[in-house]
Every structure is written in C-alpha cells, then in structure tokens.
Amino acid sequence: MDLHANLKPVAALVGVWKGPGQGFYPTIKTFDYVEELTFTNTGKPFLHYQQKTWSPTGTPLHTETGYLRIPSPGNVEFILALPTGQTELAEGTLVEGEAGFEISLTSTLHNSSSAKHVDATTRKYTLSGDVLEMRFGMAAVGQPMTDHLAATLTRVE
C-alpha cells in the first residue's frame, strides 16, 4: 500500500518503536517504564497510532490510540483517545532536518466527568536516524505545564 503523499515527511515513523522512559510530576513519585509506539500506514492521509506502556516488570500502565495527520507542509495534527477519559487534539509543526525531523505539538483536551482533569499537554517527537525521542508535558490537577514523560525509543524490526 502506497504512503499518502502528505505523509512523506514522516514516512520514517512507520513501524514499531520501543524503549525505556521515565515519568515525573510534582504530584507523583518518579518512575521508570517501557514505551512502545506503533505507526501504521493506512493508505489514507493519516497514520494510525497506538501507544502502550509497561512497568519494568511488565505490568501494563497506559495506552492510547489515534491518528497522525500532515494536512499541509510543516503542519501536524494528532488526534488521540485515552482510556483515562480524555480526548486530545494536538496541533503543531514539523521541522525537517538532515537526519530526521522534529514535531512539536500543543493540545486542547476534553475530559469526561469522571476523569482527572487535564488542562493541556505538549508533545515533542525528535527523530534522528533510528532513534525517536519523545517528550510529554502536562498541565493537570492544579499544576502548571510541567514535563511529565521522557522516552528514548528505537525501531523494532
């Protein structure tokens, strides 16, 4: 299946990425985790996205799913659903470099009535060769925008 022309700048994302991460936030104890991201070509102008995390001992921690779109050159949209009761619409930029690219996103969130309240998030994905760095920031539960997650992922063959 051919990759849609709009997605050519992020073609290198297609596949599975996995690696160690660390979580931190003013209201929690710092923790280590393992993260896996899967970007799947659908033949449409978006990539299907799935994220899963586990504790170092293999206990499931989090998952989310959604779609990555490049509606126009340099512009990125990430539409996500989280089982914690949020939907996230992230928009931002794609800056291409010699060895990869950087995607920077800021999100608008909707929270279900039973969810912990999340005001906003930021996401940054930096691809350099076969290394994908992920950074996630969050403003939630009365805290201002603060770094929350950082992971270094490599391509899984």
Side-chain angles (χ1 to χ4, degrees):
M1 175 171 7
D2 289 338
L3 188 67
H4 191 278
N6 286 20
L7 299 172
K8 297 292 185 194
V10 294
L13 280 179
V14 174
V16 179
W17 300 83
K18 190 171 184 177
Q22 189 170 61
F24 30 85
Y25 205 67
T27 60
I28 64 171
K29 186 176 177 181
T30 297
F31 62 96
D32 293 325
Y33 69 95
V34 177
E35 181 160 2
E36 181 180 274
L37 303 182
T38 303
F39 293 90
T40 305
N41 177 24
T42 65
K44 299 285 191 173
F46 55 83
L47 296 177
H48 179 256
Y49 161 85
Q50 185 175 27
Q51 182 256 25
K52 297 177 186 177
T53 61
W54 300 268
S55 72
T57 61
T59 303
L61 295 176
H62 181 73
T63 187
E64 57 191 38
T65 191
Y67 304 94
L68 180 70
R69 299 170 13 107
I70 312 293
S72 60
N75 294 304
V76 181
E77 297 174 352
F78 214 179
I79 299 91
L80 302 165
L82 289 73
T84 50
Q86 291 86 18
T87 58
E88 191 173 336
L89 175 57
E91 296 182 273
T93 58
L94 167 71
V95 177
E96 295 181 73
E98 287 183 31
F101 58 78
E102 182 174 281
I103 294 173
S104 298
L105 302 155
T106 302
S107 298
T108 302
L109 278 97
H110 290 278
N111 299 279
S112 69
S113 61
S114 64
K116 285 186 180 178
H117 191 80
V118 178
D119 296 308
T121 64
T122 59
R123 293 173 184 260
K124 182 180 276 190
Y125 299 90
T126 304
L127 179 68
S128 181
D130 276 340
V131 176
L132 181 62
E133 298 280 339
M134 186 284 303
R135 300 289 178 265
F136 178 81
M138 181 171 69
V141 295
Q143 298 295 316
M145 184 60 70
T146 304
D147 290 337
H148 178 42
L149 302 170
T152 301
L153 314 172
T154 55
R155 184 178 300 283
V156 176
E157 297 298 326

